[in-house]
Every structure is written in C-alpha cells, then in structure tokens.
Amino acid sequence: MSKRTVQFKIYRYDPDKDEKPYMQDISVELEASDKKLLDALVRLKVKDDSLSFRRSCREGVCGSDAMNINGKNGLACLTEVDSLPQPITLRPLPGLPVVRDLIVDMTQFFKQYHSIKPYLINNDPPPERERLQTPEDREELNGLYECILCACCSTSCPSFWWNPDKFVGPAGLLAAYRFIADTRDQATNDRLDNLEDPYRLFRCHTIMNCVDVCPKSLNPTRAIGKIKDMMLRRAV
Amino acid sequence: MKVAKRTFDAVIVGAGGAGLRAALQLSEAGMKTAVLTKVFPTRSHTVAAQGGVAASLGNSTEDNWHWHMYDTVKGSDWLGDQDAIEFMCRKANEVVVELEHYGMPFDRTDDGKIYQRPFGGHSMNYGQAPVMRSCAAADRTGHAMLHALYQRNVRANTQFFVEWMALDLIRNSDGDVLGVTALEMETGEISIFHSRATIFATGGAGRIYYSSTNAFINTGDGVGMAARSGIPLEDMEFWQFHPTGVAGAGVLITEGVRGEGGILRNDAGERFMERYAPNLKDLASRDVVSRAMTTEINEGRGCGPDKDHVLLDITHLSPETILKRLPGIREISIQFAGVDPIKAPIPVVPTCHYQMGGIPTNYRGQVVIPKDGDVNSAVVGFYAAGECACASVHGANRLGTNSLLDLLVFGKSAGETVVEDFRTGALALKPLPEDAADVSLARIARLEGQKDGENVHEVRLDMQRTMQKHAGVFRFDNLLKEGAELIKGVAARAASTEIGDKSQVWNTARVEALELDNLIEVAKATMISAEARKESRGAHVRDDAPDTPEHPNGRNDEEWLKHTLWYSADNRLEYKPVNLKPLSPNVEPIALAKRTY
C-alpha cells in the first residue's frame, strides 16, 4: 500500500471546553508503512494533538485501544485501516460513561471483573514445588486465560448496557469460568453461589455479540453456557 | 495550582511485573501502600513477554542454579555483579513456584510439572549443550504472569492509583527520598505522595529508538525522574537488540520460536548461525545473533527486494506444535508480517528490546550511589526493581527469560527490604521541604505557557532517528562522537516543547511531552556512556575495538571491566568496580574468559 488519504468521522468531547459531544470530520494522509487503524490514529494525533485515546502495546495484548469502529467494537491496533469503509466512524466503547473523546470510564467494567474473585482460591498449604496439573486439565484453560480485559465484549452486550451494575458481563463471566475450570481451584461452589441471582449470570441471553467482537477470538458465551450447565446440574 | 498531599507508608511507581510483585510483599505485610500506574496494571508492558521465565527446576532436563549462574555471568560478558546474579539464580525456583501457586497457567509436562523449553544462551554443564530452563505458558508467559500477579493483588486488596503519572522524585537536602509528585490524568490535578519508602518499578525506555519492540508507554519515566533528581544511571550504553522483531513493524517474535526449533536463514536459505556460533547456533546469546544477522544483511545476504531482513523458519515444525506452543506468534505473524508461519518463514530484523542499565541498585533492591567514599551507599527511602533498575544481573547483555525472573526476584526482594526496614523502624516519615512540588509545577506551567516552541512529535522522532543511526547494533567511533553532540542538541529542543491541547481532562499531549522529558534523559545517558566506553563488550560493539589476541572480542578487562555511572546535571561520567565475588563465600566466582557460543 502506498500513500493515501483516509477520511474519518470521530466522536469528540472534551468536558473542559465542549458543551456537548460532536462528530468531527477529519482526514489524514497515511504513509505506506501505516497499516493498522492505530497507525492512522497516531498520524491524526500529530495533526491534532487534542485527539485523545488510550494505546500502549500496539500488538493486541495490552487491551488499551478498544473502541467502536464503524459500529463494531475492536482494537485499533489489530484492525487493518484499508479494510474499513470510509469515512471511518470512530466512537468510544458504548455503554460506559465517556471521559473524553475515545476514552471511557471503565470503573463499572472492572468492578464486575473484581466481583467474581478473579484469583485462584486453594486453601491447602502450598507445597514446596508446583502443584501438579495434567496437560489435559491445563488445556481446559485455553480460550479462557488469554482475555486482555479490553472490554470489547461487555460493552457490545445489550444485557450489560441495561444492567451494568447487576449483570457481570461476558468478560467477568469468562474469568469466573477460567477459575471454575482450573483443577487447582477449590472454590467452585462459592463461585457458583456468587453468580446465583437473576442478573449476575442469567441476564446473558446468548445474543453472542461478545463472540463476534472478541479480538482474541475467545468465546465468552460458551463459558457462560458451561457455568449455567453447572448451576443446573447442581440444582438437581 | 492547588496541590493535594497524600501520605503512605510506601509508594510504588509502576504496576508491571516488578511493581506488582513488590506490592504483594507490602500489602500482605499490612503496610499502607499506594501503587501509581499510568496504565491499568494489566496493560503494563510485562504483558508482552512471550517465551518464558528462567528457573532451574530441571523438569525436563537436568539443571541447577550454578549452571544458570554461569550462563548469566557469561551472557553479561562479565559485567554483571556476581552477588546479584547468584541471588537471582538461587531464588528462581522459589519465585516461579510461588507464581504457580498464585494460579499462573503454565503449560505442563506429561507428568504435570511446569513445562520448560530451551532458550538462547542457557546451557547445561557450563556451556556444553542447550538446557530446558524457560518456564512457559505457551508464548504468552508475560500475559499469564502479569494477570496472575494482578489477580493476587486484588486478593491482597492492594490500593492502586490507576492512570496516575508520576512526575518527579522528591528528595530533601540530605538526598533522602520522600516520595513523588504525580499527575492524575483524568483531572489534570497534581498531588504529592509523601512516603517512608519509594519503590520505582517503571520499566524500560525502548522508545528512545526508532525501531523498538517496546510499547508506547515505555518511556523510562522512573529512570528519567531519578536522573533529574541527581541519581546517576548505570551502564546505560548497553541496549539489547532482539534478533527477531517483525521486519517493518518491530513487533516481537519470541526467542522461544528458536527454542522450539526455529532456524534463521539468509537469502541463500543457509542456516548462517552455524558459522557464527557452532555450538549453540540459533540459540546463541541475543547480542551474538543480532550481530550475525546484521552482518549477513550488511554483506548483501539479506532477504526480500531490499535485502533488508532475514527469515525465521518454522515450516519444518508440525502444525500441531506451532498451534500448541506458539499460537500467539502465529497470530502476530499473520497480523503484522502477513505470513502464516506454518506455511512460510517470518521476515525478521534485530530490533531494540531491552535496557540492561538503569538506576543502580544492590541485590536487596536498595538504590545505591557513590557517597562519602562508598561507591554503593544506599539512598535512604529509595528502592528500584525490574527493567528500570540495574542490580546488575544483565551486565552487557541479558539472556532471554532472565528479565521476567529479574522482575520477580528483585520486585520481591525490594518489597522484603522495605517491609524489614519498616518493621525495624529504619523508615521515618521525614518532613517535606516547602518546595516539594515546585519542580513539577514549573514543568506543567512551562508547557502551559510555552509559545513558539518545539513540536513534541518532531523532537521525539529526531531523538529516535539519532539513537537508531548513532547507537545501533554495531557502533562506530565517529558516529558515537557525532551522536553525542546531536543528542545534546535534541535535548535542548526538548526543553521548549509546546502542545496545542490545553485541557485539564485526559490530556495525552501533555503526558507525551512529560514522557519526552524522561526519554531524553535516557537517550543522553546512552549516547554519552557509549561514546566513552572504548571497548567492545556484550551488546556494545565498536569498530575501533575489534577482536584481537590481546583483546578477545574487543573486550578490554584491564581498562573497562567497570560499571559506568552517568550524571545528568553535567553529563559527567564516573565508574565503579564490577563485583566479581558471589554472595556466598562457598560459591566459586565465574572466572573471566573469552565469550564464545
């Protein structure tokens, strides 16, 4: 790809000076080496240093640069800019309060993550060496532990939009199942109790937006289904 | 501007692996601790580590910490301090097993133990053959580790100040450290964090180079803050160029790829490492491999239309192995190189990766500086760990997997030292000077009022290009001399940066300008220290210090077996001896020798 000019429509809001948010039309010339949407955003920021967004690793592992790209949540650093119809419309992740431009307040998202006790619980005295786990048991964690907490999933979920304070959301539930599925964890019953409520788990209506948007190709819906199965089996 | 004051027993700056590991010690000991981090903890750059963490667990091949210690000293080209290296290698099993107990999802051997793979420069029986020492969670070890450490801190109720950027170190007239000033990014407010102990765990500054595997946030904030407050920086001429960054993109491809059997090839398809390192071949130390690759490219044997890279080939591995052991690499390769490594080799070039030098510390995590005739006098109240610190375990060249080990061992050690000093009453809350926040307020006010100033992006770019050209894989006397003058010029421009964004809310333009103040300290330290070191050692290889019988590999122990200390105020250089004595009297020192693989 050579030099080309790309058109954007970007959600802008600076509470320090703007009465209300607006959509800014702006274009930028990209160099041949600019391949990802994040490269374009960095170019845009050279042009207008007031454009605000989070970014760090630029390789899809830190989870900073999640945003709503042409209506769909994704990571700017993993999105090919040339694959996007123009003008490329960028908005902050939906459903969370906007702090400024593309930056949202993620407090509620992390509150839900923390609510599932996202740490291994094992009350046996720690052995001198590692706890043993078969390769097969370890494989149960694949597709669960890789989550980068970018919030693409939870903020694409209508159930989370309606009840962000009560529904744990796909990211938190994926993490809950990551510990339930870990043979070293001893708190499965407590973890299920913690989700036994009309909202926390059961507000998932398998809409599957989470699966559709996950930049790491994870499947929170399947993890949620497994937790629901365990709940049911436990009940009978 | 109104400055709020907050008081804690301890302040930790940075929430990557080292900061989180230190925080656990303090939180579990009940100390009132604030962890400041400019990104949410799991976004710290530890998350991007791939291949593994070293520990001589011996799960798949025989191993012991003596062999690990030997490899690390040799890898450091004898510039590492042998007391700190012994300490790190002996502690490795303990800190890795702890992480497993915290829930880190390591891959497993058939008998259920932690999976280990071979890695560059790690050997059994003092250099005889590769050893399986790198404990791995697929090729996402850093991610698995950082999340496990964060999760354990959630359990320990650690208090985080997320998206707070530390600005300046506060010292009193005795030079004792009393805390930091910090900027809350969401509000633009400045606070003083007054504390008995301050631990820096702010990571490296790989962004001083144009082409780097490092994240945008790796701007050397702690190193810059320390330098501005009068703390010298140690061994800053030593930067690791990782052999395998994706050509063009810079994104890291783990050495674990070669650990799993990957081979580097030139345009003739030749496995050229056989010529440079007949014994360990593709698994030689990183500096050796990066130089070999650069030589191949410089001599016209590079690949691609511009002959500007070499190829990392794993097409001979089974797709199952690649999908199981290197799934993240396959994703990165498809995303950033446009090739599926199951079918085609990955284009790679040496890319700036790791800062071996940093804030001088001892193995207990205390920051040490020359004072009153003692070259290693502890600064009261100041500690550092991880990439920002120089213990010094990596010396002139770090071995792969020793960085994750470093941050665990010395994060924990710094935490233990602080807890011990706190309990014995050695840590007083000393009165703050009247002007504690003045330096920071002046920096903010200068940015606020700057007219006709320099553009942050352009100054940063000039710095990065200067570093890339003048202090790269191979170094040249004339380029270093010129580079030292050029970088001073760039630094002068960095003092008058101007930003358009004047908002108080999440002003990332301001953050980037403040980060540049830190980057430029690191760039100056690097260039000036490198220009002065007239020998070749580890990652610092000069044209005017070639391999001779008198000075094998160009290394000159008579004159240069010593640590550099650079002072920001006047670009002064001092030197201090390398500690060639291990920690324990019954451990034999690793004797000086020529380094070959």
Side-chain angles (χ1 to χ4, degrees), chain B residues 160-477:
Chain B
F160 291 101
F161 288 77
V162 176
E163 293 169 340
W164 283 68
M165 182 187 180
L167 297 179
D168 290 285
L169 194 61
I170 303 171
R171 300 179 76 186
N172 65 14
S173 52
D174 294 333
D176 303 343
V177 168
L178 312 178
V180 292
T181 53
L183 168 77
E184 184 183 27
M185 286 153 74
E186 188 174 333
T187 61
E189 283 168 17
I190 311 279
S191 291
I192 289 174
F193 285 77
H194 185 202
S195 63
R196 295 164 190 270
T198 302
I199 303 178
F200 272 13
T202 53
R207 285 271 161 179
I208 62 168
Y209 284 89
Y210 182 71
S211 168
S212 169
T213 65
N214 282 204
F216 282 103
I217 57 169
N218 290 20
T219 52
D221 297 342
V223 181
M225 281 187 269
R228 279 197 306 274
S229 76
I231 305 281
L233 302 182
E234 181 174 346
D235 293 341
M236 291 302 293
E237 60 270 47
F238 297 101
W239 279 86
Q240 177 158 86
F241 287 78
H242 195 290
T244 55
V246 171
V251 177
L252 176 68
I253 299 285
T254 175
E255 191 169 301
V257 170
R258 283 170 283 138
E260 296 290 344
I263 292 169
L264 291 164
R265 298 186 191 282
N266 60 19
D267 70 332
E270 182 203 8
R271 184 182 194 179
F272 58 86
M273 278 314 299
E274 287 178 333
R275 280 188 276 119
Y276 297 88
N279 192 17
L280 291 185
K281 302 185 180 75
D282 299 90
L283 285 176
S285 219
R286 286 182 179 169
D287 58 333
V288 174
V289 179
S290 283
R291 278 196 294 276
M293 291 167 67
T294 306
T295 302
E296 290 299 299
I297 293 166
N298 288 349
E299 293 180 358
R301 293 187 293 278
C303 306
D306 298 324
K307 293 186 165 293
D308 58 356
H309 60 266
V310 300
L311 294 173
L312 176 59
D313 186 6
I314 51 170
T315 55
H316 54 288
L317 301 186
S318 74
E320 294 73 48
T321 302
I322 295 171
L323 293 173
K324 186 172 179 188
R325 299 294 182 204
L326 305 167
I329 287 308
R330 181 166 178 254
E331 276 172 39
I332 285 175
S333 184
I334 292 170
Q335 271 279 349
F336 292 95
V339 296
D340 182 345
I342 292 175
K343 298 174 193 144
I346 312 165
V348 290
V349 286
T351 306
C352 172
H353 184 57
Y354 188 86
Q355 165 192 309
M356 262 81 72
I359 303 167
T361 64
N362 59 22
Y363 73 93
R364 300 182 66 221
Q366 297 171 301
V367 174
V368 291
I369 60 171
K371 194 182 175 187
D372 304 331
D374 177 5
V375 288
N376 290 310
S377 168
V379 178
V380 176
F382 195 24
Y383 309 78
E387 190 171 343
C388 75
C390 182
S392 144
V393 284
H394 309 305
N397 170 66
R398 174 174 72 78
L399 298 186
T401 69
N402 269 353
S403 60
L404 291 185
L405 180 60
D406 168 350
L407 59 82
L408 290 176
V409 168
F410 296 106
K412 182 177 182 183
S413 179
E416 284 176 337
T417 306
V418 168
V419 170
E420 193 185 312
D421 290 352
F422 180 66
R423 285 187 175 151
T424 58
L427 290 176
L429 189 69
K430 302 195 167 169
L432 277 175
E434 288 283 315
D435 60 354
D438 286 8
V439 171
S440 301
L441 293 175
R443 289 173 69 200
I444 298 289
R446 201 235 0 117
L447 267 178
E448 195 80 32
Q450 182 75 48
K451 296 273 186 292
D452 304 317
E454 295 278 348
N455 178 290
V456 173
H457 167 76
E458 281 168 19
V459 176
R460 188 174 51 211
L461 200 58
D462 283 350
M463 170 193 67
Q464 291 171 333
R465 291 201 167 126
T466 306
M467 295 308 296
Q468 196 78 26
K469 180 176 169 195
H470 294 264
V473 174
F474 284 108
R475 292 166 177 191
F476 302 89
D477 184 52

Side-chain angles (χ1 to χ4, degrees), chain B residues 42-43 68-69 105 184 220 281 284 325 335 357 414-415 527 530 569 575:
Chain B
T42 62
R43 321 227 185 277
H68 185 191
M69 179 177 170
E184 184 183 27
K281 302 185 180 75
R325 299 294 182 204
Q335 271 279 349
M527 197 69 92
Y575 294 89

Side-chain angles (χ1 to χ4, degrees), chain A residues 16 36 54 58 114 131, chain B residues 108 150 163 212 335 500 504:
Chain A
D16 227 13
K36 304 295 184 187
R54 294 186 177 102
R58 59 84 166 87
H114 293 152
R131 294 193 168 100
Chain B
R108 299 289 170 157
Y150 176 67
E163 293 169 340
S212 169
Q335 271 279 349
Q504 288 304 310

Side-chain angles (χ1 to χ4, degrees), chain A:
Chain A
M1 191 56 64
S2 54
K3 284 197 180 194
R4 68 277 189 209
T5 300
V6 179
Q7 311 289 333
F8 285 89
K9 250 186 167 15
I10 304 181
Y11 178 101
R12 300 297 306 265
Y13 176 58
D14 174 1
D16 227 13
K17 66 177 175 64
D18 301 325
E19 267 180 41
K20 56 180 192 208
Y22 63 98
M23 295 302 288
Q24 177 191 27
D25 292 300
I26 187 168
S27 66
V28 69
E29 191 184 35
L30 300 186
E31 297 294 323
S33 57
D34 295 330
K35 298 201 167 85
K36 304 295 184 187
L37 174 58
L38 181 60
D39 299 330
L41 280 169
V42 170
R43 277 288 159 219
L44 274 167
K45 192 165 174 61
V46 172
K47 202 169 160 176
D48 173 3
D49 72 3
S50 71
L51 175 64
S52 304
F53 51 93
R54 294 186 177 102
R55 85 285 181 265
S56 182
C57 76
R58 59 84 166 87
E59 59 192 60
V61 69
C62 80
S64 298
D65 64 350
M67 56 189 68
N68 188 269
I69 306 159
N70 281 349
K72 188 176 167 184
N73 290 353
L75 297 183
C77 62
L78 294 184
T79 303
E80 291 289 328
V81 69
D82 295 316
S83 73
L84 298 168
Q86 297 180 30
I88 298 168
T89 304
L90 301 179
R91 294 172 183 275
L93 289 175
L96 293 175
V98 176
V99 180
R100 179 178 176 180
D101 297 346
L102 301 173
I103 294 169
V104 290
D105 178 352
M106 296 184 74
T107 307
Q108 196 60 51
F109 172 78
F110 287 121
K111 204 166 163 186
Q112 290 297 0
Y113 174 68
H114 293 152
S115 80
I116 62 95
K117 298 190 178 173
Y119 43 82
L120 193 84
I121 299 175
N122 183 317
N123 294 317
D124 295 341
E128 201 179 324
R129 287 288 297 250
E130 66 263 50
R131 294 193 168 100
L132 300 181
Q133 184 173 50
T134 66
E136 295 71 35
D137 285 342
R138 165 61 184 77
E139 256 177 50
E140 293 297 315
L141 307 182
N142 287 348
L144 305 173
Y145 83 94
E146 302 93 326
C147 172
I148 58 173
L149 300 175
C150 65
C152 280
C153 60
S154 293
T155 61
S156 71
C157 173
S159 297
F160 191 78
W161 297 338
W162 293 324
N163 298 106
D165 53 335
K166 295 184 190 144
F167 174 52
V168 171
L173 291 168
L174 184 83
Y177 187 65
R178 177 250 173 275
F179 289 100
I180 291 171
D182 196 322
T183 50
R184 301 169 295 173
D185 190 89
Q186 297 175 328
T188 298
N189 257 323
D190 294 344
R191 293 184 189 283
L192 294 179
D193 288 349
N194 179 271
L195 300 173
E196 185 90 72
D197 156 288
Y199 286 94
R200 284 178 62 73
L201 170 71
F202 287 101
R203 279 287 127 168
C204 168
H205 299 307
T206 58
I207 299 165
M208 294 185 74
N209 281 0
C210 54
V211 181
D212 192 37
V213 300
C214 178
K216 305 309 284 183
S217 308
L218 307 179
N219 190 329
T221 307
R222 188 166 59 211
I224 293 167
K226 288 193 173 174
I227 304 176
K228 285 182 179 170
D229 284 350
M230 292 179 87
M231 288 276 201
L232 289 173
R233 266 186 277 131
R234 189 169 78 144
V236 291

Side-chain angles (χ1 to χ4, degrees), chain B residues 18-262:
Chain B
L20 290 178
R21 188 63 193 80
L24 271 184
Q25 287 319 108
L26 273 53
S27 293
E28 288 175 354
M31 286 181 69
K32 193 182 170 205
T33 306
V35 182
L36 308 186
T37 172
K38 64 178 178 175
V39 295
F40 184 79
T42 62
R43 321 227 185 277
S44 307
H45 196 52
T46 303
V47 80
Q50 297 172 352
V53 51
S56 55
L57 293 170
N59 286 351
S60 294
T61 52
E62 190 192 342
D63 201 3
N64 65 67
W65 66 262
H66 292 277
W67 296 350
H68 185 191
M69 179 177 170
Y70 168 82
D71 292 335
T72 303
V73 172
K74 177 181 169 185
S76 82
D77 218 348
W78 277 268
L79 193 69
D81 288 325
Q82 296 199 16
D83 57 340
I85 294 176
E86 178 196 332
F87 183 78
M88 181 178 81
C89 297
R90 287 185 90 146
K91 282 271 185 189
N93 289 7
E94 171 192 317
V95 294
V96 168
V97 166
E98 261 170 8
L99 267 180
E100 194 283 326
H101 294 161
Y102 296 167
M104 180 162 161
F106 284 107
D107 285 6
R108 299 289 170 157
T109 61
D110 287 342
D111 53 358
K113 295 176 181 168
I114 292 172
Y115 169 78
Q116 297 185 280
R117 59 162 60 108
F119 236 78
H122 289 280
S123 73
M124 58 170 74
N125 207 12
Y126 308 101
Q128 275 187 358
V131 70
M132 293 168 85
R133 187 179 289 149
S134 169
C135 309
D139 53 2
R140 306 186 180 100
T141 311
H143 171 279
M145 179 181 287
L146 188 66
H147 281 251
L149 283 170
Y150 176 67
Q151 291 161 353
R152 188 75 176 184
N153 272 285
V154 172
R155 179 179 178 271
N157 257 323
T158 299
Q159 189 179 354
F160 291 101
F161 288 77
V162 176
E163 293 169 340
W164 283 68
M165 182 187 180
L167 297 179
D168 290 285
L169 194 61
I170 303 171
R171 300 179 76 186
N172 65 14
S173 52
D174 294 333
D176 303 343
V177 168
L178 312 178
V180 292
T181 53
L183 168 77
E184 184 183 27
M185 286 153 74
E186 188 174 333
T187 61
E189 283 168 17
I190 311 279
S191 291
I192 289 174
F193 285 77
H194 185 202
S195 63
R196 295 164 190 270
T198 302
I199 303 178
F200 272 13
T202 53
R207 285 271 161 179
I208 62 168
Y209 284 89
Y210 182 71
S211 168
S212 169
T213 65
N214 282 204
F216 282 103
I217 57 169
N218 290 20
T219 52
D221 297 342
V223 181
M225 281 187 269
R228 279 197 306 274
S229 76
I231 305 281
L233 302 182
E234 181 174 346
D235 293 341
M236 291 302 293
E237 60 270 47
F238 297 101
W239 279 86
Q240 177 158 86
F241 287 78
H242 195 290
T244 55
V246 171
V251 177
L252 176 68
I253 299 285
T254 175
E255 191 169 301
V257 170
R258 283 170 283 138
E260 296 290 344

